[in-house]
Amino acid sequence: MIRFGFDHYGDPAVFTAIQAPVPQPKPGQVQIQVLGFGLNPYDASLRRGEQAAYRKLKWPIVPGTDVVGRVSAVGAGVADLTVNDVVINYRPIGGYSEFVVASVGKVMKKPAGLSLAEAAGLPQVGIAAATVLQTLALAPGQTLAVEGASGGVGAMVVQLAKAQHLHVIATASARNAEYLRQLGTDDIGAYDEEDVAKRFANQADATVNAISGGFDRGAGALITRPGGTLLTTAYAKPETGGKCLDLVQLGDGSQEKPETVFPQLAALAKAGGLSVRIAKQLPFTLAGVQEGHRLLECHHPAGKLVVMKNPAE
Ligand SMILES: NC(=O)c1ccc[n+]([C@@H]2O[C@H](COP(=O)([O-])OP(=O)(O)OC[C@H]3O[C@@H](n4cnc5c(N)ncnc54)[C@H](OP(=O)(O)O)[C@@H]3O)[C@@H](O)[C@H]2O)c1
């Protein structure tokens, strides 16, 4: 089988197609024939070598936390999944492959309401968003501001927050305002047309900075009320302008487990309340992976980048 990975750090051209044996499931695991995988900013950070000091990985490195596929074999003791089930898998690494194996706790059946591409884009942003809300522990009626609400993580935070009956303020570019309205956002600020920090000053009990790279010119701190919480999803120190805030870095605490988050996402999808916007579907080829990583490096149209075996499905 083919995997897409790299044996040195660098730009998207470092990816190569690597031949590897098809992995076999151990007890409690399933083997998944991958139909598509999601790309995330973290994968690009791995490729650039920024995670090397925090995470020791063997070469070649095959990124990929988000997989959708068809169960192709089951290990001993697996009761709830059978061959041909279409599933979603969240994994630490290695998803850019034709086959993967995964423990059943990290796998859920694909909700009927999601396409294969949407399912490929869901795991990491779903788990990140659930971790954000669990960390903030706001009560219904409290106000949450989401910066970068049109992005993969931001849109998922908005949806989980509305399901928890929070009042949600969102910022994104004007071209994505209609999408944020569809997600049920209560108030929207277009950062490219107005001063969102001034408009929403001190309104939020907590603010999530879900902007890729985290650069918001201090808007998150201004939007958050004194004593509120400013949570950043990017590895960037937030500007506070001297305001007293509780600063939280997503990833410093423990991450919500797929076993906990997947049932919540499945329930939302079943109720028709889960949207995963796809920015672009790329072909399941070396060129597709390299092109996807080029797009990860720039301000691409909002939504998830996914690599699909059959982009038409
Ligand atoms: N720690 C974790 O566990 C974890 C997990 C997943 C992701 N992350 C991090 O979370 C961040 C977001 O990831 P993502 O996948 O959601 O990225 P993404 O899909 O690229 O979304 C980023 C969004 O930021 C918006 N944006 C850009 N400049 C803005 C500004 N000045 N004000 C408001 N919005 C702005 C863009 O909206 P417009 O297009 O509307 O301008 C875009 O939709 C990344 O830094 C990623 O590394 C962390």
Side-chain angles (χ1 to χ4, degrees):
M1 70 151 187
I2 298 281
R3 316 177 80 197
F4 301 107
F6 46 86
D7 62 8
H8 59 283
Y9 300 123
D11 67 20
V14 297
F15 273 104
T16 57
I18 302 160
Q19 284 288 348
V22 174
Q24 298 304 316
K26 294 184 179 134
Q29 290 186 331
V30 292
Q31 180 194 67
I32 301 168
Q33 182 179 14
V34 177
L35 300 173
F37 53 83
L39 309 183
N40 286 288
Y42 179 77
D43 307 346
S45 174
L46 269 180
R47 193 205 70 234
R48 292 190 297 261
E50 293 162 4
Q51 302 296 324
Y54 312 104
R55 202 173 171 197
K56 298 288 169 221
L57 294 168
K58 284 190 195 150
W59 301 107
I61 294 174
V62 175
T65 58
D66 296 355
V67 161
V68 65
R70 196 178 294 282
V71 173
S72 42
V74 296
V78 173
D80 297 338
L81 293 167
T82 53
V83 169
N84 277 334
D85 281 344
V86 178
V87 295
I88 297 175
N89 167 225
Y90 178 66
R91 48 190 310 102
I93 201 157
Y96 292 16
S97 303
E98 287 191 304
F99 286 87
V100 295
V101 290
S103 301
V104 289
K106 313 298 176 202
V107 172
M108 78 163 167
K109 286 187 189 166
K110 182 184 81 60
L114 294 182
S115 69
L116 290 174
E118 290 165 339
L122 178 61
Q124 188 179 120
V125 294
I127 285 165
T131 305
V132 164
L133 287 157
Q134 169 73 16
T135 305
L136 296 174
L138 296 172
Q142 283 196 288
T143 297
L144 175 68
V146 184
E147 300 179 277
S150 57
V153 175
M156 202 52 60
V157 170
V158 168
Q159 294 176 77
L160 296 186
K162 287 314 298 173
Q164 294 180 14
H165 308 291
L166 300 181
H167 182 84
V168 178
I169 301 169
T171 72
S173 54
R175 64 182 171 167
N176 291 313
E178 182 48 35
Y179 177 61
L180 297 186
R181 261 187 282 283
Q182 287 165 19
L183 295 183
T185 310
D186 297 289
D187 208 346
I188 299 157
Y191 71 84
D192 52 348
E193 287 189 348
E194 60 187 312
D195 184 344
V196 292
K198 196 167 163 193
R199 168 153 166 214
F200 295 133
N202 298 316
Q203 286 190 22
D205 295 296
T207 299
V208 180
N209 181 335
I211 298 170
S212 208
F215 183 61
D216 74 345
R217 298 187 182 88
L222 290 165
I223 291 169
T224 315
R225 66 164 169 76
T229 304
L230 177 57
L231 182 151
T232 178
T233 60
Y235 286 97
K237 201 168 159 44
E239 299 166 48
T240 63
K243 200 189 237 180
C244 282
L245 297 171
D246 188 11
L247 298 179
V248 180
Q249 167 75 62
L250 182 67
D252 280 355
S254 59
Q255 192 186 53
E256 285 286 273
K257 291 191 174 3
E259 293 87 324
T260 315
V261 178
F262 278 171
Q264 293 173 36
L265 298 174
L268 269 180
K270 195 171 174 198
L274 190 66
S275 158
V276 184
R277 188 152 65 151
I278 301 300
K280 186 159 187 180
Q281 295 191 42
L282 300 135
F284 203 110
T285 59
L286 178 59
V289 170
Q290 290 173 332
E291 171 63 7
H293 269 248
R294 275 183 211 106
L295 289 168
L296 278 178
E297 300 287 355
C298 53
H299 191 163
H300 59 79
K304 296 295 303 176
L305 298 165
V306 291
V307 168
M308 301 303 296
K309 273 270 176 185
N310 183 356
E313 262 185 79

PDB file of all heavy atoms in Angstrom, residues 41 124 128 147-148 150-154 171-173 175-176 191 210-213 215 233-235 250-251 255 299-300 302-303, ligand 1:
ATOM      1  N   PRO A  41      -3.737  22.274  10.106  1.00  0.00           N
ATOM      2  CA  PRO A  41      -2.529  23.094  10.276  1.00  0.00           C
ATOM      3  C   PRO A  41      -1.431  22.350  11.043  1.00  0.00           C
ATOM      4  O   PRO A  41      -0.247  22.558  10.788  1.00  0.00           O
ATOM      5  CB  PRO A  41      -3.028  24.309  11.069  1.00  0.00           C
ATOM      6  CG  PRO A  41      -4.467  24.440  10.696  1.00  0.00           C
ATOM      7  CD  PRO A  41      -4.958  23.026  10.499  1.00  0.00           C
ATOM      8  N   GLN A 124     -10.441  16.007  14.049  1.00  0.00           N
ATOM      9  CA  GLN A 124      -9.572  16.893  14.852  1.00  0.00           C
ATOM     10  C   GLN A 124     -10.301  18.173  15.269  1.00  0.00           C
ATOM     11  O   GLN A 124     -10.200  18.599  16.426  1.00  0.00           O
ATOM     12  CB  GLN A 124      -8.291  17.256  14.107  1.00  0.00           C
ATOM     13  CG  GLN A 124      -7.345  17.999  15.037  1.00  0.00           C
ATOM     14  CD  GLN A 124      -6.024  18.400  14.422  1.00  0.00           C
ATOM     15  OE1 GLN A 124      -5.688  19.562  14.364  1.00  0.00           O
ATOM     16  NE2 GLN A 124      -5.264  17.423  13.970  1.00  0.00           N
ATOM     17  N   ALA A 128     -11.022  19.201  19.079  1.00  0.00           N
ATOM     18  CA  ALA A 128     -10.491  20.491  19.560  1.00  0.00           C
ATOM     19  C   ALA A 128     -11.627  21.363  20.104  1.00  0.00           C
ATOM     20  O   ALA A 128     -11.523  21.946  21.190  1.00  0.00           O
ATOM     21  CB  ALA A 128      -9.749  21.211  18.434  1.00  0.00           C
ATOM     22  N   GLU A 147     -13.249  34.033  17.578  1.00  0.00           N
ATOM     23  CA  GLU A 147     -12.503  34.695  16.499  1.00  0.00           C
ATOM     24  C   GLU A 147     -12.061  33.615  15.507  1.00  0.00           C
ATOM     25  O   GLU A 147     -11.559  32.563  15.911  1.00  0.00           O
ATOM     26  CB  GLU A 147     -11.252  35.377  17.047  1.00  0.00           C
ATOM     27  CG  GLU A 147     -11.493  36.447  18.076  1.00  0.00           C
ATOM     28  CD  GLU A 147     -10.153  37.017  18.536  1.00  0.00           C
ATOM     29  OE1 GLU A 147      -9.515  36.405  19.424  1.00  0.00           O
ATOM     30  OE2 GLU A 147      -9.751  38.071  18.000  1.00  0.00           O
ATOM     31  N   GLY A 148     -12.225  33.888  14.216  1.00  0.00           N
ATOM     32  CA  GLY A 148     -11.907  32.852  13.224  1.00  0.00           C
ATOM     33  C   GLY A 148     -13.017  31.822  13.173  1.00  0.00           C
ATOM     34  O   GLY A 148     -12.773  30.633  12.967  1.00  0.00           O
ATOM     35  N   SER A 150     -15.210  31.164  11.032  1.00  0.00           N
ATOM     36  CA  SER A 150     -15.500  30.506   9.753  1.00  0.00           C
ATOM     37  C   SER A 150     -14.554  29.347   9.484  1.00  0.00           C
ATOM     38  O   SER A 150     -14.756  28.578   8.548  1.00  0.00           O
ATOM     39  CB  SER A 150     -15.368  31.524   8.616  1.00  0.00           C
ATOM     40  OG  SER A 150     -14.059  32.086   8.661  1.00  0.00           O
ATOM     41  N   GLY A 151     -13.510  29.186  10.293  1.00  0.00           N
ATOM     42  CA  GLY A 151     -12.519  28.136  10.058  1.00  0.00           C
ATOM     43  C   GLY A 151     -12.993  26.788  10.589  1.00  0.00           C
ATOM     44  O   GLY A 151     -14.094  26.664  11.153  1.00  0.00           O
ATOM     45  N   GLY A 152     -12.144  25.783  10.410  1.00  0.00           N
ATOM     46  CA  GLY A 152     -12.516  24.429  10.823  1.00  0.00           C
ATOM     47  C   GLY A 152     -12.836  24.361  12.310  1.00  0.00           C
ATOM     48  O   GLY A 152     -13.921  23.914  12.709  1.00  0.00           O
ATOM     49  N   VAL A 153     -11.923  24.811  13.159  1.00  0.00           N
ATOM     50  CA  VAL A 153     -12.137  24.748  14.609  1.00  0.00           C
ATOM     51  C   VAL A 153     -13.225  25.736  15.018  1.00  0.00           C
ATOM     52  O   VAL A 153     -14.142  25.398  15.775  1.00  0.00           O
ATOM     53  CB  VAL A 153     -10.825  25.053  15.372  1.00  0.00           C
ATOM     54  CG1 VAL A 153     -11.076  25.119  16.872  1.00  0.00           C
ATOM     55  CG2 VAL A 153      -9.763  24.008  15.060  1.00  0.00           C
ATOM     56  N   GLY A 154     -13.134  26.978  14.509  1.00  0.00           N
ATOM     57  CA  GLY A 154     -14.067  28.023  14.926  1.00  0.00           C
ATOM     58  C   GLY A 154     -15.518  27.641  14.656  1.00  0.00           C
ATOM     59  O   GLY A 154     -16.386  27.787  15.525  1.00  0.00           O
ATOM     60  N   THR A 171     -16.375  36.381  14.893  1.00  0.00           N
ATOM     61  CA  THR A 171     -15.688  37.235  13.926  1.00  0.00           C
ATOM     62  C   THR A 171     -15.106  36.384  12.812  1.00  0.00           C
ATOM     63  O   THR A 171     -14.633  35.265  13.037  1.00  0.00           O
ATOM     64  CB  THR A 171     -14.554  38.081  14.552  1.00  0.00           C
ATOM     65  OG1 THR A 171     -13.454  37.236  14.884  1.00  0.00           O
ATOM     66  CG2 THR A 171     -15.012  38.826  15.788  1.00  0.00           C
ATOM     67  N   ALA A 172     -15.188  36.917  11.606  1.00  0.00           N
ATOM     68  CA  ALA A 172     -14.627  36.281  10.403  1.00  0.00           C
ATOM     69  C   ALA A 172     -14.639  37.347   9.323  1.00  0.00           C
ATOM     70  O   ALA A 172     -15.031  38.496   9.578  1.00  0.00           O
ATOM     71  CB  ALA A 172     -15.470  35.080   9.985  1.00  0.00           C
ATOM     72  N   SER A 173     -14.235  36.990   8.108  1.00  0.00           N
ATOM     73  CA  SER A 173     -14.302  37.974   7.030  1.00  0.00           C
ATOM     74  C   SER A 173     -15.749  38.085   6.541  1.00  0.00           C
ATOM     75  O   SER A 173     -16.553  37.155   6.702  1.00  0.00           O
ATOM     76  CB  SER A 173     -13.359  37.595   5.887  1.00  0.00           C
ATOM     77  OG  SER A 173     -13.623  36.285   5.460  1.00  0.00           O
ATOM     78  N   ARG A 175     -17.126  37.857   3.755  1.00  0.00           N
ATOM     79  CA  ARG A 175     -17.625  36.863   2.775  1.00  0.00           C
ATOM     80  C   ARG A 175     -18.169  35.619   3.475  1.00  0.00           C
ATOM     81  O   ARG A 175     -18.886  34.828   2.861  1.00  0.00           O
ATOM     82  CB  ARG A 175     -16.518  36.492   1.770  1.00  0.00           C
ATOM     83  CG  ARG A 175     -15.350  35.803   2.423  1.00  0.00           C
ATOM     84  CD  ARG A 175     -14.225  35.462   1.471  1.00  0.00           C
ATOM     85  NE  ARG A 175     -13.072  34.994   2.246  1.00  0.00           N
ATOM     86  CZ  ARG A 175     -12.033  34.396   1.742  1.00  0.00           C
ATOM     87  NH1 ARG A 175     -11.975  34.165   0.460  1.00  0.00           N
ATOM     88  NH2 ARG A 175     -11.045  34.010   2.516  1.00  0.00           N
ATOM     89  N   ASN A 176     -17.824  35.425   4.746  1.00  0.00           N
ATOM     90  CA  ASN A 176     -18.286  34.230   5.465  1.00  0.00           C
ATOM     91  C   ASN A 176     -19.398  34.520   6.477  1.00  0.00           C
ATOM     92  O   ASN A 176     -19.808  33.617   7.219  1.00  0.00           O
ATOM     93  CB  ASN A 176     -17.107  33.565   6.168  1.00  0.00           C
ATOM     94  CG  ASN A 176     -16.155  32.955   5.157  1.00  0.00           C
ATOM     95  OD1 ASN A 176     -16.599  32.276   4.239  1.00  0.00           O
ATOM     96  ND2 ASN A 176     -14.866  33.205   5.309  1.00  0.00           N
ATOM     97  N   TYR A 191     -14.203  41.250  10.425  1.00  0.00           N
ATOM     98  CA  TYR A 191     -12.960  41.921  10.820  1.00  0.00           C
ATOM     99  C   TYR A 191     -12.324  42.703   9.681  1.00  0.00           C
ATOM    100  O   TYR A 191     -11.514  43.593   9.898  1.00  0.00           O
ATOM    101  CB  TYR A 191     -11.945  40.914  11.403  1.00  0.00           C
ATOM    102  CG  TYR A 191     -11.354  39.976  10.381  1.00  0.00           C
ATOM    103  CD1 TYR A 191     -10.255  40.343   9.607  1.00  0.00           C
ATOM    104  CD2 TYR A 191     -11.904  38.718  10.162  1.00  0.00           C
ATOM    105  CE1 TYR A 191      -9.720  39.492   8.657  1.00  0.00           C
ATOM    106  CE2 TYR A 191     -11.385  37.859   9.222  1.00  0.00           C
ATOM    107  CZ  TYR A 191     -10.288  38.245   8.469  1.00  0.00           C
ATOM    108  OH  TYR A 191      -9.782  37.410   7.529  1.00  0.00           O
ATOM    109  N   ALA A 210      -9.555  31.267  17.376  1.00  0.00           N
ATOM    110  CA  ALA A 210      -9.390  30.105  16.488  1.00  0.00           C
ATOM    111  C   ALA A 210      -8.869  30.542  15.124  1.00  0.00           C
ATOM    112  O   ALA A 210      -9.132  29.909  14.106  1.00  0.00           O
ATOM    113  CB  ALA A 210     -10.719  29.371  16.353  1.00  0.00           C
ATOM    114  N   ILE A 211      -8.144  31.654  15.114  1.00  0.00           N
ATOM    115  CA  ILE A 211      -7.537  32.147  13.867  1.00  0.00           C
ATOM    116  C   ILE A 211      -6.281  31.326  13.605  1.00  0.00           C
ATOM    117  O   ILE A 211      -5.489  31.086  14.522  1.00  0.00           O
ATOM    118  CB  ILE A 211      -7.156  33.640  14.013  1.00  0.00           C
ATOM    119  CG1 ILE A 211      -8.402  34.473  14.278  1.00  0.00           C
ATOM    120  CG2 ILE A 211      -6.413  34.134  12.784  1.00  0.00           C
ATOM    121  CD1 ILE A 211      -8.106  35.903  14.681  1.00  0.00           C
ATOM    122  N   SER A 212      -6.101  30.909  12.357  1.00  0.00           N
ATOM    123  CA  SER A 212      -4.909  30.135  12.033  1.00  0.00           C
ATOM    124  C   SER A 212      -3.676  31.004  12.308  1.00  0.00           C
ATOM    125  O   SER A 212      -3.565  32.092  11.765  1.00  0.00           O
ATOM    126  CB  SER A 212      -4.961  29.695  10.572  1.00  0.00           C
ATOM    127  OG  SER A 212      -4.251  28.523  10.427  1.00  0.00           O
ATOM    128  N   GLY A 213      -2.813  30.555  13.201  1.00  0.00           N
ATOM    129  CA  GLY A 213      -1.647  31.332  13.587  1.00  0.00           C
ATOM    130  C   GLY A 213      -1.926  32.272  14.758  1.00  0.00           C
ATOM    131  O   GLY A 213      -1.006  32.747  15.408  1.00  0.00           O
ATOM    132  N   PHE A 215      -3.049  35.402  15.063  1.00  0.00           N
ATOM    133  CA  PHE A 215      -2.743  36.830  15.034  1.00  0.00           C
ATOM    134  C   PHE A 215      -4.026  37.658  14.923  1.00  0.00           C
ATOM    135  O   PHE A 215      -4.674  37.677  13.874  1.00  0.00           O
ATOM    136  CB  PHE A 215      -1.805  37.122  13.854  1.00  0.00           C
ATOM    137  CG  PHE A 215      -1.367  38.544  13.774  1.00  0.00           C
ATOM    138  CD1 PHE A 215      -0.650  39.128  14.813  1.00  0.00           C
ATOM    139  CD2 PHE A 215      -1.676  39.313  12.671  1.00  0.00           C
ATOM    140  CE1 PHE A 215      -0.250  40.463  14.739  1.00  0.00           C
ATOM    141  CE2 PHE A 215      -1.277  40.640  12.585  1.00  0.00           C
ATOM    142  CZ  PHE A 215      -0.572  41.207  13.631  1.00  0.00           C
ATOM    143  N   THR A 233      -6.063  28.843  20.415  1.00  0.00           N
ATOM    144  CA  THR A 233      -5.859  27.507  19.853  1.00  0.00           C
ATOM    145  C   THR A 233      -4.492  27.401  19.173  1.00  0.00           C
ATOM    146  O   THR A 233      -4.027  26.312  18.890  1.00  0.00           O
ATOM    147  CB  THR A 233      -6.941  27.193  18.797  1.00  0.00           C
ATOM    148  OG1 THR A 233      -6.853  28.164  17.759  1.00  0.00           O
ATOM    149  CG2 THR A 233      -8.332  27.213  19.399  1.00  0.00           C
ATOM    150  N   ALA A 234      -3.898  28.553  18.855  1.00  0.00           N
ATOM    151  CA  ALA A 234      -2.612  28.547  18.152  1.00  0.00           C
ATOM    152  C   ALA A 234      -1.477  28.662  19.170  1.00  0.00           C
ATOM    153  O   ALA A 234      -1.700  29.116  20.293  1.00  0.00           O
ATOM    154  CB  ALA A 234      -2.556  29.720  17.188  1.00  0.00           C
ATOM    155  N   TYR A 235      -0.298  28.251  18.760  1.00  0.00           N
ATOM    156  CA  TYR A 235       0.850  28.388  19.656  1.00  0.00           C
ATOM    157  C   TYR A 235       1.427  29.789  19.523  1.00  0.00           C
ATOM    158  O   TYR A 235       2.458  30.012  18.932  1.00  0.00           O
ATOM    159  CB  TYR A 235       1.893  27.300  19.367  1.00  0.00           C
ATOM    160  CG  TYR A 235       1.428  25.968  19.875  1.00  0.00           C
ATOM    161  CD1 TYR A 235       0.814  25.063  19.032  1.00  0.00           C
ATOM    162  CD2 TYR A 235       1.542  25.637  21.220  1.00  0.00           C
ATOM    163  CE1 TYR A 235       0.325  23.854  19.510  1.00  0.00           C
ATOM    164  CE2 TYR A 235       1.059  24.442  21.709  1.00  0.00           C
ATOM    165  CZ  TYR A 235       0.452  23.562  20.851  1.00  0.00           C
ATOM    166  OH  TYR A 235      -0.036  22.383  21.338  1.00  0.00           O
ATOM    167  N   LEU A 250      -4.898  26.139  24.369  1.00  0.00           N
ATOM    168  CA  LEU A 250      -5.439  24.812  24.060  1.00  0.00           C
ATOM    169  C   LEU A 250      -4.266  23.858  23.827  1.00  0.00           C
ATOM    170  O   LEU A 250      -3.329  24.181  23.106  1.00  0.00           O
ATOM    171  CB  LEU A 250      -6.309  24.869  22.797  1.00  0.00           C
ATOM    172  CG  LEU A 250      -6.962  23.553  22.396  1.00  0.00           C
ATOM    173  CD1 LEU A 250      -8.002  23.119  23.422  1.00  0.00           C
ATOM    174  CD2 LEU A 250      -7.602  23.652  21.021  1.00  0.00           C
ATOM    175  N   GLY A 251      -4.321  22.701  24.436  1.00  0.00           N
ATOM    176  CA  GLY A 251      -3.219  21.744  24.288  1.00  0.00           C
ATOM    177  C   GLY A 251      -2.386  21.643  25.545  1.00  0.00           C
ATOM    178  O   GLY A 251      -1.680  20.659  25.756  1.00  0.00           O
ATOM    179  N   GLN A 255      -6.685  16.633  26.537  1.00  0.00           N
ATOM    180  CA  GLN A 255      -7.594  16.740  25.398  1.00  0.00           C
ATOM    181  C   GLN A 255      -8.785  15.804  25.609  1.00  0.00           C
ATOM    182  O   GLN A 255      -8.620  14.717  26.174  1.00  0.00           O
ATOM    183  CB  GLN A 255      -6.814  16.303  24.158  1.00  0.00           C
ATOM    184  CG  GLN A 255      -7.471  16.611  22.863  1.00  0.00           C
ATOM    185  CD  GLN A 255      -6.690  16.009  21.703  1.00  0.00           C
ATOM    186  OE1 GLN A 255      -6.382  14.813  21.681  1.00  0.00           O
ATOM    187  NE2 GLN A 255      -6.366  16.828  20.735  1.00  0.00           N
ATOM    188  N   HIS A 299      -4.015  31.745   3.344  1.00  0.00           N
ATOM    189  CA  HIS A 299      -5.378  32.050   3.794  1.00  0.00           C
ATOM    190  C   HIS A 299      -6.343  31.511   2.732  1.00  0.00           C
ATOM    191  O   HIS A 299      -6.820  32.247   1.880  1.00  0.00           O
ATOM    192  CB  HIS A 299      -5.497  33.568   3.962  1.00  0.00           C
ATOM    193  CG  HIS A 299      -6.745  33.987   4.648  1.00  0.00           C
ATOM    194  ND1 HIS A 299      -6.904  35.220   5.198  1.00  0.00           N
ATOM    195  CD2 HIS A 299      -7.908  33.342   4.878  1.00  0.00           C
ATOM    196  CE1 HIS A 299      -8.106  35.330   5.738  1.00  0.00           C
ATOM    197  NE2 HIS A 299      -8.729  34.188   5.554  1.00  0.00           N
ATOM    198  N   HIS A 300      -6.615  30.225   2.810  1.00  0.00           N
ATOM    199  CA  HIS A 300      -7.438  29.561   1.783  1.00  0.00           C
ATOM    200  C   HIS A 300      -8.918  29.808   2.067  1.00  0.00           C
ATOM    201  O   HIS A 300      -9.283  30.208   3.187  1.00  0.00           O
ATOM    202  CB  HIS A 300      -7.116  28.064   1.740  1.00  0.00           C
ATOM    203  CG  HIS A 300      -7.358  27.344   3.036  1.00  0.00           C
ATOM    204  ND1 HIS A 300      -8.606  26.957   3.459  1.00  0.00           N
ATOM    205  CD2 HIS A 300      -6.510  26.938   4.011  1.00  0.00           C
ATOM    206  CE1 HIS A 300      -8.524  26.347   4.622  1.00  0.00           C
ATOM    207  NE2 HIS A 300      -7.256  26.333   5.002  1.00  0.00           N
ATOM    208  N   ALA A 302     -12.517  29.462   3.424  1.00  0.00           N
ATOM    209  CA  ALA A 302     -12.821  28.868   4.722  1.00  0.00           C
ATOM    210  C   ALA A 302     -13.361  27.448   4.576  1.00  0.00           C
ATOM    211  O   ALA A 302     -14.122  27.151   3.657  1.00  0.00           O
ATOM    212  CB  ALA A 302     -13.844  29.730   5.452  1.00  0.00           C
ATOM    213  N   GLY A 303     -12.953  26.584   5.465  1.00  0.00           N
ATOM    214  CA  GLY A 303     -13.426  25.203   5.475  1.00  0.00           C
ATOM    215  C   GLY A 303     -12.270  24.227   5.479  1.00  0.00           C
ATOM    216  O   GLY A 303     -11.103  24.608   5.521  1.00  0.00           O
TER     217      GLY A 303
HETATM  218  N1  LIG B   1      -4.277  22.770  19.906  1.00  0.00           N
HETATM  219  C1  LIG B   1      -5.124  21.991  19.236  1.00  0.00           C
HETATM  220  O1  LIG B   1      -5.557  20.932  19.727  1.00  0.00           O
HETATM  221  C2  LIG B   1      -5.573  22.425  17.891  1.00  0.00           C
HETATM  222  C3  LIG B   1      -6.355  21.579  17.107  1.00  0.00           C
HETATM  223  C4  LIG B   1      -6.785  22.034  15.867  1.00  0.00           C
HETATM  224  C5  LIG B   1      -6.396  23.308  15.442  1.00  0.00           C
HETATM  225  N2  LIG B   1      -5.606  24.081  16.221  1.00  0.00           N
HETATM  226  C6  LIG B   1      -5.192  25.442  15.790  1.00  0.00           C
HETATM  227  O2  LIG B   1      -6.381  26.212  15.616  1.00  0.00           O
HETATM  228  C7  LIG B   1      -6.152  27.236  14.639  1.00  0.00           C
HETATM  229  C8  LIG B   1      -7.299  27.207  13.647  1.00  0.00           C
HETATM  230  O3  LIG B   1      -7.233  26.011  12.885  1.00  0.00           O
HETATM  231  P1  LIG B   1      -8.271  25.756  11.711  1.00  0.00           P
HETATM  232  O4  LIG B   1      -7.970  24.420  11.180  1.00  0.00           O
HETATM  233  O5  LIG B   1      -9.641  26.061  12.167  1.00  0.00           O
HETATM  234  O6  LIG B   1      -7.806  26.890  10.676  1.00  0.00           O
HETATM  235  P2  LIG B   1      -8.585  27.454   9.419  1.00  0.00           P
HETATM  236  O7  LIG B   1      -9.645  26.468   8.994  1.00  0.00           O
HETATM  237  O8  LIG B   1      -7.570  27.892   8.444  1.00  0.00           O
HETATM  238  O9  LIG B   1      -9.405  28.717   9.968  1.00  0.00           O
HETATM  239  C9  LIG B   1      -8.835  29.892  10.396  1.00  0.00           C
HETATM  240  C10 LIG B   1      -9.859  31.005  10.234  1.00  0.00           C
HETATM  241  O10 LIG B   1      -9.297  32.211  10.741  1.00  0.00           O
HETATM  242  C11 LIG B   1      -9.982  33.266  10.117  1.00  0.00           C
HETATM  243  N3  LIG B   1      -9.230  34.524  10.242  1.00  0.00           N
HETATM  244  C12 LIG B   1      -8.056  34.878   9.678  1.00  0.00           C
HETATM  245  N4  LIG B   1      -7.704  36.120  10.134  1.00  0.00           N
HETATM  246  C13 LIG B   1      -8.690  36.532  11.009  1.00  0.00           C
HETATM  247  C14 LIG B   1      -8.917  37.698  11.830  1.00  0.00           C
HETATM  248  N5  LIG B   1      -8.033  38.716  11.869  1.00  0.00           N
HETATM  249  N6  LIG B   1     -10.035  37.753  12.622  1.00  0.00           N
HETATM  250  C15 LIG B   1     -10.934  36.733  12.627  1.00  0.00           C
HETATM  251  N7  LIG B   1     -10.777  35.615  11.852  1.00  0.00           N
HETATM  252  C16 LIG B   1      -9.669  35.506  11.080  1.00  0.00           C
HETATM  253  C17 LIG B   1     -10.234  32.831   8.713  1.00  0.00           C
HETATM  254  O11 LIG B   1     -11.499  33.352   8.441  1.00  0.00           O
HETATM  255  P3  LIG B   1     -11.865  34.115   7.089  1.00  0.00           P
HETATM  256  O12 LIG B   1     -11.513  33.178   5.970  1.00  0.00           O
HETATM  257  O13 LIG B   1     -13.336  34.360   7.246  1.00  0.00           O
HETATM  258  O14 LIG B   1     -11.027  35.338   7.068  1.00  0.00           O
HETATM  259  C18 LIG B   1     -10.250  31.305   8.803  1.00  0.00           C
HETATM  260  O15 LIG B   1     -11.530  30.779   8.506  1.00  0.00           O
HETATM  261  C19 LIG B   1      -4.776  26.933  14.023  1.00  0.00           C
HETATM  262  O16 LIG B   1      -3.817  27.817  14.580  1.00  0.00           O
HETATM  263  C20 LIG B   1      -4.513  25.489  14.428  1.00  0.00           C
HETATM  264  O17 LIG B   1      -3.137  25.206  14.520  1.00  0.00           O
HETATM  265  C21 LIG B   1      -5.209  23.686  17.439  1.00  0.00           C
END
